[in-house]
């Protein structure tokens, strides 16, 4: 089906979108049955800025200079389009306080850093969550009209709800620790500079305290990318990461992995991120 909306001519600037979303947030009343924008934003002719890519690779721990994009990098390319949708008046969830709860990525084929791509981003659904309402945002990246990469991210707006908590299930065996990482207080600023995501909760203790955090917290997508850089991913892969608890900066975390599973936890055993890397579903 043809997209009725005209394609974008350039990547939206993130800072004005963050400001617009913040100003509109107090006027939004989230609920799972609310209407949401059906717009599909399309940005053709996307080429990667190799200097920004190298900065991203360094802060996330990926090797620099590889021909292939890190599996998480298309999320960075599509994030301004997602923000344009989530900061608009028609999006029913307030941008302030919105929590990135999970990401699922499928890389179908090679994605060279020197390629030219078309991005498509849209809000797929709203769903009730035991802590509020969750939105799913889908990003697709095509090369020559062929789907090369896609992701589904969930974002939670917390509010009172009558949804029941999920039934308890058996916890899997804890993964063995592979490495201990000491994280500097500047990780959020470095990732923000490389990705463009300069949300104030990630940049400085003072701005993080305005939103209820004792210190700045690491970006969820940085924690996922750092784990995947250590774990490794094949050319074709299905990746899922669930963000369980924020990582305070500075801090010390343990990277754990076994087989296709990985996790990031603090020294007390509290899990920040857990996920897996598997072959894509055919």
């Amino acid at each position: 089906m043809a997209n009725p909306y005209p394609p974008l001519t350039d990547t939206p600037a993130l800072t004005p979108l963050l400001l617009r979303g913040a100003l509109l947030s107090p006027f939004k009343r989230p609920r799972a049955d609310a209407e949401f924008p059906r717009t599909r934003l399309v940005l053709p002719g996307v080429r990667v800025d190799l200097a920004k890519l190298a900065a991203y690779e360094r802060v996330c721990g990926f090797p620099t200079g590889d021909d292939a994009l890190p599996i998480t990098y298309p999320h960075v390319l599509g994030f301004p389009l997602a923000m344009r949708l989530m900061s608009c008046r028609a999006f029913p969830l307030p941008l302030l306080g919105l929590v990135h709860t999970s990401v699922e990525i499928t890389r179908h084929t090679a994605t060279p850093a020197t390629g030219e791509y078309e991005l498509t981003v849209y809000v797929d659904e709203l769903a009730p969550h035991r802590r509020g309402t969750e939105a799913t945002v889908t990003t697709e990246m095509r090369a020559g009209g062929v789907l090369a990469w896609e992701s589904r991210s969930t974002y939670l707006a917390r509010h009172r709800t009558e949804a029941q908590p999920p039934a308890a299930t058996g916890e899997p065996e804890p993964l063995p620790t592979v490495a201990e990482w000491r994280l500097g207080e500047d990780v959020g600023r470095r990732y923000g500079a490389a990705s463009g995501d300069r949300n104030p909760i990630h940049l400085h203790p003072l701005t993080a305290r305005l939103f209820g955090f004792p210190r700045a917290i690491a970006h969820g997508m940085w924690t996922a990318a750092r784990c995947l850089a250590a774990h490794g991913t094949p050319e074709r892969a299905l990746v899922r990461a669930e963000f369980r608890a924020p990582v305070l900066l500075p801090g010390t975390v343990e990277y754990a992995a076994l087989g296709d599973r990985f996790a990031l936890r603090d020294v007390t055993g509290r899990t920040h991120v857990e996920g897996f890397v598997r072959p894509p579903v055919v």
Side-chain angles (χ1 to χ4, degrees):
M1 183 175 65
N3 182 27
Y5 304 99
L8 302 176
T9 57
D10 202 359
T11 301
L14 272 172
T15 300
L17 297 177
L18 281 168
L19 292 173
R20 181 176 72 176
L23 291 172
L24 291 174
S25 288
F27 304 101
K28 299 193 175 184
R29 299 293 180 266
R31 65 182 198 277
D33 61 348
E35 287 297 316
F36 58 89
R38 308 289 174 159
T39 311
R40 286 179 175 246
L41 296 181
V42 178
L43 179 62
V46 175
R47 288 193 173 275
V48 174
D49 182 320
L50 297 181
K52 290 182 179 178
L53 173 62
Y56 176 90
E57 290 168 334
R58 285 192 293 269
V59 72
C60 295
F62 291 104
T64 58
D66 277 7
D67 181 55
L69 292 174
I71 195 167
T72 48
Y73 196 71
H75 175 89
V76 172
L77 299 176
F79 187 65
L81 280 68
M83 282 296 301
R84 180 164 171 171
L85 290 174
M86 292 191 291
S87 66
C88 73
R89 289 184 181 275
F91 186 70
L93 308 185
L95 192 64
L96 287 181
L98 207 60
V99 179
H100 195 182
T101 50
S102 74
V103 63
E104 185 172 286
I105 295 171
T106 304
R107 184 165 60 192
H108 298 281
T109 187
T111 54
T114 53
E116 181 175 316
Y117 301 102
E118 178 183 87
L119 294 170
T120 302
V121 179
Y122 55 94
V123 181
D124 195 48
E125 64 176 349
L126 294 185
H129 185 279
R130 63 188 177 88
R131 293 182 177 174
T133 298
E134 204 167 55
T136 300
V137 179
T138 295
T139 302
E140 300 169 348
M141 189 173 79
R142 291 175 171 80
V146 177
L147 184 63
W149 182 101
E150 60 184 316
S151 75
R152 287 169 59 85
S153 278
T154 56
Y155 297 91
L156 173 65
R158 293 176 176 169
H159 59 86
R160 288 187 177 182
T161 176
E162 296 180 1
Q164 297 298 313
T169 58
E171 291 292 326
E173 286 293 319
L175 301 176
T177 299
V178 175
E180 184 177 274
W181 298 333
R182 295 186 179 183
L183 310 180
E185 58 89 23
D186 64 340
V187 165
R189 293 192 292 275
R190 291 173 57 211
Y191 183 83
S195 67
D197 183 0
R198 293 183 172 87
N199 188 318
I201 63 175
H202 304 302
L203 303 182
H204 194 276
L206 292 178
T207 52
R209 286 186 197 121
L210 295 175
F211 297 93
F213 297 100
R215 304 196 299 275
I217 65 171
H219 295 72
M221 283 304 298
W222 177 84
T223 62
R226 184 68 185 88
C227 288
L228 292 168
H231 189 283
T233 54
E235 182 176 287
R236 298 180 66 250
L238 168 65
V239 167
R240 181 169 179 83
E242 297 188 14
F243 307 116
R244 300 295 191 189
V247 174
L248 296 174
L249 300 171
T252 300
V253 292
E254 295 178 345
Y255 167 68
L258 182 66
D260 63 3
R261 296 168 56 210
F262 64 85
L264 194 68
R265 58 195 180 216
D266 66 18
V267 292
T268 69
R270 183 190 190 197
T271 299
H272 296 293
V273 184
E274 60 184 359
F276 61 75
V277 179
R278 295 173 184 166
V281 177
V282 178

